[in-house]
């Protein structure tokens, strides 16, 4: 089969399940957390992810809920953008911005764990997930760039 070409004639090479996998947790968790925040209810599994004090703090503070709602909403938007790159892999700037966002989230989750704000499943496992996918995304973009003729890089 002939490769799909972008309107400028370059091959659209970044079509891998990488971006779907990178987006999947946020596509599921973001809407659920936004609903939880808007209803100001405690998740039945909250004790697995955060200390009781963290959940109580968020429940009692409107500004904390607002910032959390903004965070989860933005993560959902980024997840949708990553899904879009499956159909428009020439959007390397979008992919790079998404990778940097994932690196920042990984660092902040790790910091939250070290500060006692979140438990290890989020602070270590989720941080590692985000960090690994950020690096894979960066490597995928770089690999696609290296396959192009030098004059198109």
């Amino acid at each position: 089969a002939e490769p799909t070409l972008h309107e400028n004639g370059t091959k659209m090479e970044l079509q891998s399940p990488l971006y779907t996998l990178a987006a999947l947790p946020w596509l599921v968790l973001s809407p659920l957390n936004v609903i939880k925040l808007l209803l100001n209810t405690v998740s039945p599994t909250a004790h697995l992810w955060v200390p009781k004090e963290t959940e109580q703090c968020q429940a009692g503070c409107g500004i904390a809920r607002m910032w959390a709602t903004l965070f989860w909403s933005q993560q959902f938007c980024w997840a949708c953008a990553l899904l879009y790159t499956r159909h428009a892999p020439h959007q390397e700037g979008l992919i790079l911005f998404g990778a940097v966002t994932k690196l920042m989230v990984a660092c902040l989750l790790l910091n939250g764990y070290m500060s006692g704000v979140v438990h290890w499943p989020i602070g270590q496992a989720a941080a590692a997930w985000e960090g690994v996918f950020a690096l894979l995304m960066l490597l995928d973009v770089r690999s696609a760039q290296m396959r192009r003729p030098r004059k198109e890089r």
Side-chain angles (χ1 to χ4, degrees), residues 31-151:
L32 293 174
N33 276 290
V34 167
I35 291 167
K36 177 191 76 108
L37 287 159
L38 293 175
L39 296 175
N40 196 18
T41 60
V42 176
S43 166
T45 62
H47 65 282
L48 299 173
W49 320 116
V50 298
K52 187 174 186 167
E53 299 80 30
T54 300
E55 192 70 29
Q56 288 173 340
C57 173
Q58 185 173 305
C61 181
I63 194 75
R65 282 193 311 280
M66 182 201 76
W67 283 111
T69 304
L70 288 170
F71 168 79
W72 287 108
S73 299
Q74 183 181 22
Q75 290 303 107
F76 184 77
C77 293
W78 272 114
C80 292
L82 288 177
L83 288 182
Y84 170 71
T85 62
R86 295 256 309 138
H87 303 288
H90 57 280
Q91 297 288 333
E92 290 177 359
L94 182 64
I95 295 167
L96 293 173
F97 198 87
V100 170
T101 300
K102 285 191 164 297
L103 285 174
M104 290 299 300
V105 168
C107 291
L108 292 170
L109 290 174
L110 190 56
N111 182 61
Y113 172 72
M114 295 176 75
S115 303
V117 176
V118 295
H119 293 315
W120 74 266
I122 292 175
Q124 291 180 327
W129 174 275
E130 291 296 290
V132 166
F133 273 97
L135 293 174
L136 290 173
M137 289 163 60
L138 293 171
L139 289 171
D140 196 41
V141 168
R142 183 66 180 146
S143 174
Q145 290 172 342
M146 295 306 291
R147 288 191 301 268
R148 284 192 214 124
R150 188 164 200 80
K151 66 179 180 172

